Amino acid sequence: DEVLSLGLEASFAQHAPAAEACRAGARAMGLRLWPRRDDIMATCTTAIAVPEGLTDVRVRDHVRARYGVQLSSGQGAGNLVRIGHMGVTARSLYAVVGLAALGRGLVDMGVSLDIGAGLEAALERLSRQATQQLKK
């Protein structure tokens, strides 16, 4: 109902800002995105490669149990976790919450990351996007 009332194009347009913020944050944390080229990434989700020595199942289970955040699997594309950007998760801070939970979960499992840099990069991107919207 929400998509139909908003319209397909407007609904799809909400995905990109969340994806851009999430990807900026993941990169700033030191995580590797999949696929490697931005021009072929879908805006409805950000796929992040799980660091060596861990499995997506272990990471997803830990993040859900410890932080109450649901990450998706790579759905056969490899050892990946995904943070979604559709519907309500395309709004505001959902991408930041997903990044924070993933980053904290990986640190819990012994991965060295700069979570603060990642969250700062995501928030900066969201702030720029909000400023641009206000100018319109």
Side-chain angles (χ1 to χ4, degrees), residues 57-111:
V57 173
R58 184 172 167 219
V59 171
R60 288 184 297 113
D61 287 350
H62 177 78
V63 169
R64 185 177 53 248
R66 182 93 184 252
Y67 300 104
V69 173
Q70 179 74 41
L71 301 172
S72 298
S73 71
Q75 299 211 341
N79 195 22
L80 308 169
V81 294
R82 294 180 302 134
I83 298 173
H85 313 304
M86 296 185 298
V88 296
T89 64
R91 295 188 195 126
S92 191
L93 297 177
Y94 281 93
V96 176
V97 170
L99 282 171
L102 174 60
R104 190 63 242 165
L106 291 171
V107 167
D108 293 345
M109 294 189 235
V111 177

Side-chain angles (χ1 to χ4, degrees), residues 111-131:
V111 177
S112 179
L113 296 176
D114 190 342
I115 299 169
L119 298 181
E120 182 64 33
L123 288 168
E124 173 61 30
R125 183 65 57 103
L126 289 173
S127 175
R128 271 190 271 143
Q129 292 163 353
T131 301

Side-chain angles (χ1 to χ4, degrees), residues 20-32:
E20 290 170 13
C22 191
R23 291 171 187 161
R27 285 182 175 118
M29 276 188 205
L31 296 170
R32 185 175 57 83

